[in-house]
Amino acid sequence: MSDTPEQTDAPAPAVLELSRIAKAFGAVVALTNGTLRLERGSIHALVGENGAGKSTLVKIVAGLYQRDAGEFTLDGASVDFTSTAQAKDAGIAVIYQEPTLFPDLSVTENIFMGRQPRGALGVIDRRAMKAEALALFERLGVRIDPDRPTLGLSIADQQILEIAKAISLDAKVLIMDEPTAALSGVEVERLFAVARGLRDEGRAILFISHRFDEVFALCDTVTVMRDGAYISTSPISDTTVPEIVRQMVGRDVTTLFPKTEVPIGDVVLEVRGLTQPGVFSDVSFVARSGEIVALAGLVGAGRSEIARAVFGVDPYASGTVTVDGRPIAKRSPSAAMVAGIALVPEDRRQQGLVLDSSVARNATLAIRRTLARLGLITNAAENGSARIWASRLEVKTAALDTEVGTLSGGNQQKVVLAKWLATDPKVLFVDEPTRGIDVGTKAEVHRLLSELAGQGLAIVMISSELPEVLGMADRVLVVHEGRITADIPRAEATAESVMFAATHAEGEAA
Amino acid sequence: SDGGDGGSGGGDGGNLAITFLPKNLGNPYFDTSDAGGKAAIEEFGGTYAEVGPTEAAPDAQVSFINTLTQQGVGGIVVSANDPEAICDALNEARDNGIKVVTFDSDTNADCRDLFINQATADGIAKVEVDEIAKQIGNAGQIAILSASANATNQNAWIETMKTYLASDYPDIELVDVVYGDDDDQTSFDKTAALLQTYPELKGIISPTTVGIAAAARYLSTSAFKGKVALTGLGTPNQMRDYVEDGTVTSFALWNPGDLGYLAAYAAKALIEGDITGAEGDTFDAGKLGSYTVGADGAVLLGDPYVFDKDNIGDFDF
Amino acid sequence: MTRVGHLLKARETGILLALVIVVAATTIKNPAFLFSTDGWRDLLLTPAILMLVAVGQAIVIITRSVDLSVGSVVGLSAYLTGRTFIDLPGLPWPTVFLIGLVFGGLLGLVNGALVAFAKVPALVITLGTLYIYRGINVMWTGSDRINASDMPKEFLALGTSSLLGIPYLTIIAVVVLVAAGWYMYTQRAGRELYAIGSDPAAAHLYGLKVTQRVLAAFVVCGALAGLAGVLYAARYGTVNSQAGSGWELDAVGAAVIGGVAIFGGSGTVWGAAIGAYLLLTINRALPVIGVQDFWQRAVVGVLILGAIVLDRVLAVRQSRRLTEARNS
Amino acid sequence: MTADIQHAPATRSYRDYAQPAWRRLLFTREAAIIALLAIVYVVAAVSVRNFAAPITITYLLLDVATILLIALPMTLIIITGEIDLSVASVVGLSSVTLGTLHQAGMPIEAAGAVAILVGAVAGAVNGFFITVVGLPSLAVTIGTLALFRGLAVGLLGTTAVTDFTEFWTDLAKSKIPGTPIPSVMVLFVVLAIVFAVLLHLTPFGRGVYAIGLASEAARFSGVRVERTKFILFVLSGAVSALAGIYYTLRFGSARGDNATGLELSVIAAVLLGGVSIFGGRGNILGVIAGVLLIGILGSALRLANVTSDVINIITGALLVASVVSTSVLAWIHRKRIGAGIKKGPPAPAQD
Ligand SMILES: Nc1ncnc2c1ncn2[C@@H]1O[C@H](COP(=O)(O)OP(=O)(O)OP(=O)(O)O)[C@@H](O)[C@H]1O
Ligand SMILES: Nc1ncnc2c1ncn2[C@@H]1O[C@H](COP(=O)(O)OP(=O)(O)OP(=O)(O)O)[C@@H](O)[C@H]1O
Ligand SMILES: [Mg+2]
Ligand SMILES: [Mg+2]
């Protein structure tokens, strides 16, 4: 780090400069004043609430969107990209917030698509390509079979693949839009090491994240955006988390984990000996009314699979699930719903929402049967219910018939929550409830979860963020390779005890 | 909108707008027959028109008949794709004063005024069986390549052929009847399949112009050329090459142009009220002379004509 | 892992095996099916034309589109071939192949331009052009038809004669197949077609030339259908306005039987080619085996279902292996 | 400093709709198709001889009744993102079932009930392969298109059954007394209402749309995706069989090849009516307008002595134009808004 070419106080030459960029999608104004200056040999953080316009700014740089107004210069020359290919050729590599993988193609082909090494007659040199892929994985310290199709890769592996792809481009500007959202601690560390290496080679890196610990651990400079507009840029050493948060939200935010002590009641959910060969085995746990149970573990440990199986989306070979003592049929989300289970899934875009449908339809999808009168359902009934939940969760949208896909990530997550809270569940599974969500909203989600627990709901929270787990949970269940290896009460739960159980199978729980 | 009013020129005030409705358009057999009809209509000063579906589907003719009814033509001359499906539409047309003549392929007798029969089923079956028997020496396996499975006249002929074979040629075995759907490619491929399925096959009868041409074309380039006999109903222009190169010795047909010509005159006679379609009615058919209505309102054109190497040069249709 | 590679190939192997079984079973019943001159020739020849169309169709399906207008393109091009011989008698006959290719390519270009530029679903567009092209064909042909006598003997001979026991048409079709297979596997553009079909949105984000590639796929599909039309004229000798009608479903069926995923991204032109052979060989084999004419279509239906179920079983097995591989 | 997030912003208010009702209703594919339908009707009535006569309506409705009926379940199926290519073959199968059973002495009522049952079973076969085995519907129904047609043709062979009870064949062609409207329209209207309510006003219908837009998200929300699709395919089979009965009685002829190729006409009409082939979009009203538009065009053009090939070209062109125009209009719309933004006031200065 000491050999960073320029001092931070002397203005370094900008590789990429954006000023007063404006962009609107129909009636939605995403950016009014996008301003950003990336310097060679520096890692620059871009933070802001959900919907602040970060991803939109990235997509303009990538050539995916064209700006409505403003200036965009690269190495001092004004540019006007009309396609992502042009940006790529100009030396800009982007990891988008959404994965851009081709599920049917092999891991190697995904990395080198469109620029495969070629031999005579333009024939793709598959051997060379595979060797390069292996070298890349070596550098990132991961092991993925380069010949397998990407279909079926875990979200974490998909993200790693995106990173490998971007790095292999050897670009002078590397933009990463929330690359760590799906990664575990070890993988994040490796990514950071690679990023620092690239910085030391003199490249400019833009890093977008909602995790401040990462921003402070990795970045040199931070730019804050709010409501589509630039707020400030400062060296990371000159700022603090509360300061950034204040700039992002426009006011102060106090507690992130407003855990309130609530009396814990009877067992609501009981899972016994749940087994699905190759995915999880002999999973048993209970969740009580008023209790927040966290499922912790490394990414890929199988926590989501357990939740999905309990909810009935995924199959399980043996075991039982009971709610209030009544067993629930396998493989039937609707039976689980009727019994009072709700699941906020980890993949919001695929599993959580019907993106092309309206806020109202999404918010009432799970309760469409109860909303119906004499078997008939009307827009008015849907709007009525949706309005209540949208305002309780403060969803940022002008109208209830807005397509959910056009909302920002955080607001989308609120709509998912609204959908499930409307079902009035007894047990709420939340899988990575704050992934890709800004601090303000995050605190709100946490407050909401506490409040719901206070109302007697049993909450099972899956989270890869240790502070969140420690801050929120009454009890931490640690999952390791598909088995529950520890059951740690709140009082004993520390970063060390949870991490130890998550990485060591022998720490068998009682 | 010119179909309805143009044709009152000839005769004594009858509406001589006569429309031909073949099984489908783009079929050379019907092109020839309809051209005969056109010639007749021009002779007697009526208005000729031809409409039809592109594919010979059973229901496709109905909407055309309905349209003609709405337009109020004087007569419809139709070759039916299905004896029953177009019945009601035709009767509705007749209720509106339109005269209906079927030709080539009949409907039920109560749905039309007259049927112009190209040849009797007996006549056709006899000619074809006699021809094939002569060519294969009165013994051996034969097969039939027909039009579509529901084709009225082909099915009637095939039934008659079976009876006739059983009674007169006990040594000839009819091994299979296959359907080429009056489609070139299907008929072609079915011929190939027949030849492979029955290695002992001595002859093929194809009582449809599309089928016999496709079969001849397959045979002419195959190892079976000259070994497997082929006869049936074909047009001279389509079959000329194969007769000349020896693939086919003989085949039969009536003159389709005459068939259309006769049908047009029959329609005229009905429209002008000269006849009602009752048995025994007699009408004049231009160059073909005078015809008499037989039983069931059928008018017989004549016997089928056998074409071979010696006479095929005399014909062009 | 080579195990995975083997499994991937199994999709084509399975269908090839089915073809071999059909041929073997039929030949046992009636040796002439394979061992007579005509039997051997027809086995190779009859499916060759559909194979060309199926190869083009496979390329389009791999990009997550579909071209329902191929049957109409075959018909138009077949008629054009005949008309060319009639109207331009001096023209050396090999040029008709070029004319057919270019003409088919142009019709494909119309489809492709509508799909790629107007960004509308291919199924709707090509259903529309299916009607339009066929309508133009009927209007142009009228009740005319091309007869064998309208075309040069050398050209027609191409439709039936062989080189070293292999029919010329089959040779042409196989050359096209090999070229397409090679291109799709070894060239960047070919791989990009797979990427586009696998996830069009990702392909766009990634910066692939989606519009251009989709357009090209349609042009190639049209050109191959055009070529098939020329071969149709050579093979069948007569062309009327209905030539090639209904082929769209055969071509899609052949591709699907051959393991080309209907939602794009996977499958090969080899599979589609084998699928075309299987489909038509079954058609020819059934009467030999003694299945009555009327029931043949039902048997074909059962076989199509069987083929896709088999493909599904193989795919499920493969993904199970992948999961195991990851967990080990 | 201690302000709780909960109380900081004022409680939001939400409008139900971003746009006024007239805009939402008028600027849709369905409205455009209905408008076009009206225009074509008026133009034809004025310029084509005999078109304005009531008999036109009778013939027209008799002709399109089969397509109208089958289009109803097809709309729902396409909205879920699937397709059923086997419908016309089910018509054939139902026709043959009715014919053979009637010939064997069964009364039409009973034979018809069995035919509908056979149709439902055929639909269940499709549904089984699509939802239980998990195969793509396009591929499955290409297979059953051949299978069902093969069964139909195989069962009846060369024969056609024509001796149906006159009462029923007359009923199929009869008109509602005092109107030019065929009685079969009563059946259609009842079914149309049932399907419209099912699609637009029931939880089941909400599920149908959700499946078409995002089937995984629908599954995660408790929509029984497989069951919904299965039901739709069974309905499609049953309604196609019903259409087959009407078809058979109307033409008085039960044949294996009845209605060959009708599937493409049905799909063309449904797509013309504004249903997205990708699923999730479309409604029953638009589809009915789409079917009628194709029917009226065909009828008017035939009356004007336009040949069937030209009618086909026009139908195809209409289909292409209808989808292309939507996408062109959307493009123009985007352009205009983009231009408006650029001309708008400059971006506010940073604070
Ligand atoms: N394609 C689009 N169409 C319409 N609106 C859009 C589109 N893309 C983004 N928006 C809107 O623009 C605004 C900015 O969105 P953007 O995705 O840039 O936010 P973000 O800062 O990346 O948020 P997050 O942290 O949740 O990813 C949001 O209000 C969003 O709804
Ligand atoms: N799409 C998939 N197909 C097949 N197997 C999968 C798939 N996703 C995950 N698995 C299997 O399930 C296991 C758990 O994966 P996953 O990454 O979802 O775990 P997780 O504990 O839910 O992690 P996180 O929720 O933190 O991302 C993996 O080891 C993998 O074997
Ligand atoms: Mg973002
Ligand atoms: Mg997970």
Side-chain angles (χ1 to χ4, degrees):
Chain A
M1 265 185 251
S2 51
D3 51 22
T4 311
E6 312 286 337
Q7 287 296 311
T8 33
D9 44 347
V15 186
L16 181 148
E17 210 166 350
L18 299 166
S19 82
R20 305 171 64 83
I21 301 280
K23 177 74 189 174
F25 300 98
V28 181
V29 179
L31 283 175
T32 51
N33 173 18
T35 295
L36 184 70
R37 190 183 138 89
L38 290 191
E39 288 153 11
R40 227 178 279 288
S42 135
I43 304 179
H44 195 120
L46 180 61
V47 297
E49 279 187 294
N50 296 125
K54 305 180 295 292
S55 299
T56 307
L57 200 64
V58 167
K59 286 175 180 168
I60 286 172
V61 173
L64 192 67
Y65 296 158
Q66 275 76 56
R67 61 187 186 277
D68 297 334
E71 270 146 50
F72 176 8
T73 60
L74 199 65
D75 285 328
S78 177
V79 285
D80 261 315
F81 296 141
T82 52
S83 79
T84 52
Q86 288 174 0
K88 211 182 269 183
D89 292 344
I92 299 173
V94 182
I95 299 172
Y96 297 96
Q97 199 169 355
E98 309 88 8
T100 58
L101 297 175
F102 309 115
D104 300 293
L105 298 184
S106 74
V107 164
T108 310
E109 285 207 274
N110 262 285
I111 298 176
F112 295 102
M113 181 53 63
R115 48 195 182 86
Q116 299 96 331
R118 289 188 291 188
L121 289 172
V123 170
I124 294 170
D125 185 345
R126 283 171 191 263
R127 194 177 300 171
M129 192 160 78
K130 184 172 168 181
E132 275 188 55
L134 286 171
L136 260 174
F137 291 149
E138 181 86 356
R139 188 169 159 199
L140 284 170
V142 292
R143 273 186 50 215
I144 303 178
D145 176 5
D147 291 326
R148 63 161 292 157
T150 49
L151 184 77
L153 279 183
S154 67
I155 295 188
D157 283 349
Q158 290 181 24
Q159 196 63 47
I160 289 168
L161 201 52
E162 291 285 356
I163 292 165
K165 205 162 78 178
I167 288 174
S168 76
L169 271 172
D170 212 23
K172 59 184 177 198
V173 177
L174 173 61
I175 301 177
M176 303 191 273
D177 195 348
E178 304 195 26
T180 56
L183 299 188
S184 69
V186 193
E187 289 150 337
V188 169
E189 263 321 307
R190 288 215 192 89
L191 171 64
F192 283 6
V194 173
R196 290 187 187 111
L198 291 172
R199 174 193 57 196
D200 297 345
E201 286 171 22
R203 296 169 212 265
I205 298 174
L206 181 68
F207 179 78
I208 300 176
S209 175
H210 290 291
R211 299 184 184 170
F212 295 120
D213 51 340
E214 292 175 2
V215 168
F216 278 83
L218 181 68
C219 303
D220 311 317
T221 320
V222 56
T223 292
V224 181
M225 287 182 75
R226 183 170 79 228
D227 290 342
Y230 169 85
I231 301 294
S232 72
T233 298
S234 45
I236 205 84
S237 48
D238 293 1
T239 189
T240 61
V241 174
E243 173 63 16
I244 291 179
V245 169
R246 202 189 52 75
Q247 291 184 345
M248 272 171 60
V249 187
R251 58 177 193 278
D252 288 315
V253 179
T254 46
T255 47
L256 253 185
F257 308 110
K259 174 71 187 155
T260 44
E261 291 305 322
V262 298
I264 290 178
D266 298 334
V267 169
V268 181
L269 171 79
E270 179 164 9
V271 176
R272 279 278 151 253
L274 217 59
T275 300
Q276 171 73 1
V279 185
F280 48 81
S281 59
D282 198 23
V283 171
S284 302
F285 63 93
V286 298
R288 299 181 180 85
S289 159
E291 188 184 34
I292 299 182
V293 179
L295 284 183
L298 298 182
V299 168
R303 296 161 299 165
S304 301
E305 281 69 15
I306 295 171
R308 290 210 298 266
V310 170
F311 185 64
V313 194
D314 282 2
Y316 52 90
S318 60
T320 56
V321 176
T322 54
V323 173
D324 285 341
R326 273 185 295 276
I328 298 171
K330 281 187 191 185
R331 288 236 70 176
S332 167
S334 48
M337 277 168 58
V338 170
I341 305 181
L343 168 67
V344 174
E346 67 175 331
D347 187 343
R348 191 168 55 224
R349 302 177 63 86
Q350 290 291 323
Q351 304 166 342
L353 292 169
V354 181
L355 290 175
D356 291 328
S357 192
S358 70
V359 171
R361 289 277 165 95
N362 270 283
T364 55
L365 187 56
I367 52 162
R368 61 195 197 292
R369 291 195 186 279
T370 39
L371 268 188
R373 291 281 159 270
L374 299 171
L376 301 184
I377 191 168
T378 59
N379 284 343
E382 285 171 324
N383 288 339
S385 166
R387 175 172 288 111
I388 293 170
W389 287 102
S391 50
R392 275 181 75 172
L393 298 184
E394 302 268 350
V395 178
K396 272 188 216 167
T397 178
L400 295 173
D401 73 339
T402 306
E403 283 184 10
V404 144
T406 63
L407 301 185
S408 75
N411 282 300
Q412 291 181 359
Q413 185 73 326
K414 287 181 186 175
V415 176
V416 185
L417 272 166
K419 170 170 79 181
W420 286 111
L421 294 181
T423 64
D424 192 18
K426 295 180 186 139
V427 188
L428 177 65
F429 278 81
V430 284
D431 195 350
E432 308 287 4
T434 60
R435 173 181 290 173
I437 283 188
D438 66 60
V439 274
T441 315
K442 197 163 171 176
E444 230 175 309
V445 168
H446 289 152
R447 183 190 52 72
L448 211 88
L449 291 177
S450 287
E451 198 180 299
L452 292 167
Q455 290 165 11
L457 209 66
I459 295 178
V460 181
M461 182 180 79
I462 298 170
S463 172
S464 301
E465 271 190 73
L466 214 45
E468 186 171 79
V469 168
L470 298 177
M472 296 293 298
D474 292 301
R475 209 149 47 86
V476 182
L477 300 177
V478 184
V479 183
H480 177 74
E481 292 186 346
R483 291 173 177 277
I484 294 188
T485 54
D487 185 343
I488 312 172
R490 182 176 178 84
E492 291 161 30
T494 62
E496 290 70 33
S497 63
V498 172
M499 277 321 288
F500 184 83
T503 47
H504 295 78
E506 58 268 30
E508 203 71 36
Chain B
S1 59
D2 52 6
D5 51 344
S8 36
D12 39 339
N15 175 3
L16 286 181
I18 298 170
T19 301
F20 273 68
L21 177 54
K23 284 184 174 177
N24 61 328
L25 295 180
N27 183 329
Y29 172 83
F30 288 112
D31 289 340
T32 315
S33 65
D34 293 5
K38 184 174 185 209
I41 292 167
E42 277 165 3
E43 263 174 39
F44 59 69
T47 310
Y48 164 85
E50 184 197 35
V51 296
T54 42
E55 269 171 284
D59 60 319
Q61 289 174 314
V62 169
S63 48
F64 288 95
I65 297 167
N66 288 345
T67 303
L68 294 173
T69 309
Q70 284 169 268
Q71 289 175 334
V73 295
I76 299 176
V77 180
V78 56
S79 171
N81 277 323
D82 183 285
E84 185 69 38
I86 63 170
C87 249
D88 287 301
L90 288 179
N91 275 333
E92 222 162 319
R94 291 167 76 204
D95 291 344
N96 284 282
I98 298 173
K99 300 300 175 191
V100 173
V101 176
T102 57
F103 75 113
D104 175 68
S105 173
D106 198 9
T107 60
N108 298 343
D110 55 2
C111 315
R112 41 80 176 161
D113 297 298
L114 275 182
F115 170 49
I116 309 300
N117 195 354
Q118 53 271 50
T120 58
D122 279 345
I124 291 168
K126 191 167 176 332
V127 165
E128 291 177 35
V129 171
D130 286 344
E131 286 300 317
I132 203 84
K134 198 159 69 193
Q135 292 170 27
I136 66 173
N138 295 339
Q141 294 185 342
I142 62 163
I144 295 176
L145 170 67
S146 183
S148 75
N150 290 75
T152 330
N153 28 6
Q154 269 85 3
N155 285 343
W157 302 333
I158 291 169
E159 279 315 305
T160 318
M161 281 187 221
K162 284 181 183 163
T163 327
Y164 185 54
L165 276 170
S167 61
D168 286 40
Y169 298 101
D171 294 338
I172 296 181
E173 183 197 358
L174 175 60
V175 290
D176 205 352
V177 180
V178 297
Y179 301 89
D181 291 337
D182 261 357
D183 175 80
D184 258 310
Q185 186 209 332
T186 314
S187 308
F188 190 91
D189 293 337
K190 293 275 180 173
T191 309
L194 266 184
L195 293 170
Q196 265 160 42
T197 315
Y198 305 101
E200 299 295 307
L201 201 69
K202 299 282 275 294
I204 298 174
I205 300 176
S206 183
T208 162
T209 57
V210 178
I212 193 174
R217 170 133 176 77
Y218 182 86
L219 277 177
S220 70
T221 63
S222 87
F224 299 100
K225 176 177 169 181
K227 300 200 182 87
V228 175
L230 172 67
T231 190
L233 303 177
T235 65
N237 281 357
Q238 274 183 290
M239 300 302 292
R240 197 175 319 275
D241 282 356
Y242 309 117
V243 171
E244 276 161 10
D245 75 5
T247 310
V248 174
T249 312
S250 69
F251 62 95
L253 198 67
W254 46 92
N255 187 330
D258 287 351
L259 187 65
Y261 186 91
L262 176 57
Y265 266 98
K268 168 178 182 279
L270 285 165
I271 292 167
E272 291 180 342
D274 297 345
I275 57 171
T276 60
E279 188 168 355
D281 277 355
T282 303
F283 63 97
D284 173 66
K287 64 174 187 190
L288 294 178
S290 168
Y291 280 82
T292 306
V293 178
D296 278 341
V299 178
L300 185 65
L301 176 69
D303 279 328
Y305 186 83
V306 176
F307 301 88
D308 58 25
K309 213 180 186 112
D310 300 329
N311 65 20
I312 195 164
D314 306 338
F315 299 89
D316 181 22
F317 66 85
Chain C
M1 260 200 252
T2 46
R3 243 191 318 147
V4 173
H6 278 298
L7 268 168
L8 277 176
K9 281 185 200 109
R11 297 185 113 177
E12 283 85 37
T13 324
I15 202 77
L16 188 62
L17 202 68
L19 178 60
V20 170
I21 291 171
V22 168
V23 173
T26 318
T27 308
I28 289 168
K29 179 89 204 283
N30 180 349
F33 188 72
L34 185 61
F35 295 118
S36 67
T37 340
D38 280 7
W40 170 249
R41 184 192 67 184
D42 290 348
L43 181 71
L44 295 178
L45 189 53
T46 309
I49 305 176
L50 179 64
M51 182 180 113
L52 279 179
V53 183
V55 165
Q57 187 71 259
I59 293 174
V60 169
I61 295 180
I62 283 170
T63 63
R64 201 180 274 199
S65 285
V66 69
D67 186 351
L68 292 183
S69 72
V70 284
S72 304
V73 174
V74 169
L76 263 178
S77 150
Y79 186 70
L80 176 78
T81 304
R83 278 254 69 94
T84 310
F85 285 126
I86 295 172
D87 298 339
L88 305 168
L91 208 68
W93 63 263
T95 41
V96 296
F97 286 86
L98 196 67
I99 294 175
L101 265 173
V102 171
F103 178 70
L106 283 176
L107 296 180
L109 184 71
V110 173
N111 288 330
L114 287 169
V115 172
F117 291 118
K119 306 244 182 310
V120 286
L123 195 133
V124 188
I125 288 297
T126 57
L127 182 57
T129 52
L130 172 147
Y131 285 118
I132 297 176
Y133 293 164
R134 180 65 64 191
I136 292 174
N137 192 353
V138 176
M139 208 160 75
W140 183 24
T141 316
S143 40
D144 187 25
R145 78 161 52 206
I146 306 293
N147 286 312
S149 52
D150 298 329
M151 292 183 273
K153 287 271 183 293
E154 306 89 317
F155 177 71
L156 291 173
L158 204 66
T160 44
S161 45
S162 308
L163 180 73
L164 304 173
I166 307 201
Y168 284 112
L169 294 196
T170 311
I171 295 175
I172 294 174
V174 169
V175 167
V176 169
L177 169 68
V178 170
W182 177 83
Y183 191 85
M184 293 295 282
Y185 187 71
T186 68
Q187 296 296 298
R188 281 185 184 173
R191 302 316 295 170
E192 287 180 19
L193 293 177
Y194 280 91
I196 290 166
S198 196
D199 189 341
H204 179 65
L205 269 184
Y206 192 93
L208 299 182
K209 296 173 191 146
V210 178
T211 309
Q212 194 180 315
R213 298 270 179 258
V214 170
L215 194 67
F218 273 97
V219 170
V220 169
C221 180
L224 292 187
L227 182 61
V230 178
L231 301 195
Y232 183 104
R235 167 75 173 141
Y236 294 106
T238 30
V239 183
N240 65 7
S241 64
Q242 294 304 309
S245 73
W247 279 33
E248 55 279 348
L249 291 188
D250 282 347
V252 175
V256 167
I257 289 176
V260 178
I262 201 81
F263 295 120
S266 77
T268 62
V269 292
W270 309 105
I274 302 170
Y277 267 87
L278 182 64
L279 199 63
L280 292 194
T281 303
I282 284 170
N283 257 330
R284 296 193 321 110
L286 289 176
V288 178
I289 293 174
V291 177
Q292 204 203 337
D293 202 54
F294 301 123
W295 294 99
Q296 283 170 25
R297 238 181 313 187
V299 178
V300 168
V302 169
L303 286 164
I304 292 179
L305 290 174
I308 52 180
V309 169
L310 177 81
D311 186 56
R312 172 79 188 167
V313 170
L314 289 175
V316 166
R317 249 213 252 142
Q318 185 207 352
S319 77
R320 205 174 291 152
R321 296 260 174 118
L322 283 174
T323 314
E324 280 163 19
R326 182 169 61 173
N327 290 341
S328 59
Chain D
M1 273 274 159
T2 54
D4 195 339
I5 306 262
Q6 187 180 9
H7 306 115
T11 311
R12 287 173 175 271
S13 71
Y14 300 96
R15 273 178 291 144
D16 279 353
Y17 303 103
Q19 300 198 321
W22 62 272
R23 258 183 164 274
R24 271 182 292 124
L25 295 178
L26 236 49
F27 292 119
T28 60
R29 270 288 291 282
E30 289 75 26
I33 292 294
I34 293 170
L36 192 58
L37 178 65
I39 292 170
V40 168
Y41 187 85
V42 170
V43 169
V46 171
S47 63
V48 179
R49 250 182 75 124
N50 300 320
F51 183 82
I55 189 79
T56 307
I57 307 250
T58 313
Y59 286 151
L60 176 78
L61 292 178
L62 280 172
D63 276 348
V64 296
T66 322
I67 296 183
L68 274 175
L69 286 171
I70 303 174
L72 294 174
M74 184 71 87
T75 303
L76 272 67
I77 286 183
I78 296 183
I79 289 178
T80 64
E82 303 288 344
I83 200 161
D84 186 354
L85 291 176
S86 71
V87 285
S89 298
V90 175
V91 169
L93 191 57
S94 142
S95 178
V96 166
T97 309
L98 183 75
T100 20
L101 292 179
H102 185 59
Q103 203 173 31
M106 213 186 252
I108 299 252
E109 296 85 338
V114 176
I116 291 178
L117 194 70
V118 167
V121 170
V125 169
N126 284 330
F128 170 80
F129 282 111
I130 292 157
T131 64
V132 181
V133 188
L135 299 170
S137 55
L138 187 63
V140 168
T141 56
I142 282 182
T144 52
L145 167 100
L147 172 61
F148 299 152
R149 182 64 73 188
L151 290 177
V153 174
L155 278 171
L156 215 48
T158 57
T159 49
V161 180
T162 55
D163 52 347
F164 291 102
T165 326
E166 202 137 305
F167 169 77
W168 286 101
T169 49
D170 286 351
L171 184 70
K173 285 165 303 224
S174 68
K175 287 177 258 187
I176 300 171
T179 68
I181 298 173
S183 316
V184 66
M185 282 299 118
V186 176
L187 175 69
F188 166 71
V189 169
V190 168
L191 279 179
I193 291 173
V194 168
F195 276 94
V197 167
L198 187 66
L199 179 61
H200 298 299
L201 290 173
T202 65
F204 181 88
R206 295 292 192 264
V208 167
Y209 280 103
I211 291 169
L213 291 171
S215 70
E216 205 183 349
R219 189 192 317 280
F220 271 82
S221 304
V223 176
R224 280 173 266 191
V225 177
E226 268 66 45
R227 207 180 74 145
T228 305
K229 286 184 182 171
F230 190 87
I231 291 172
L232 290 182
F233 276 96
V234 172
L235 279 178
S236 173
V239 173
S240 299
L242 186 67
I245 295 171
Y246 159 72
Y247 189 105
T248 309
L249 294 177
R250 180 187 172 208
F251 294 117
S253 174
R255 293 173 44 150
D257 59 350
N258 269 348
T260 304
L262 195 75
E263 64 278 348
L264 291 187
S265 310
V266 174
I267 290 165
V270 170
L271 297 179
L272 183 63
V275 175
S276 161
I277 192 73
F278 297 136
R281 283 171 223 284
N283 65 38
I284 294 278
L285 201 62
V287 168
I288 295 174
V291 178
L292 292 179
L293 179 57
I294 291 183
I296 287 187
L297 260 180
S299 150
L301 291 171
R302 264 197 308 275
L303 265 178
N305 285 337
V306 175
T307 48
S308 50
D309 41 303
V310 179
I311 298 175
N312 276 347
I313 294 177
I314 293 176
T315 309
L318 202 62
L319 191 59
V320 171
S322 75
V323 282
V324 171
S325 65
T326 350
S327 105
V328 169
L329 284 179
W331 182 74
I332 292 172
H333 188 68
R334 274 201 305 278
K335 279 265 136 159
R336 250 210 258 126
I337 284 185
I341 297 279
K342 263 181 207 149
K343 274 184 253 128
Q350 65 186 79
D351 52 16

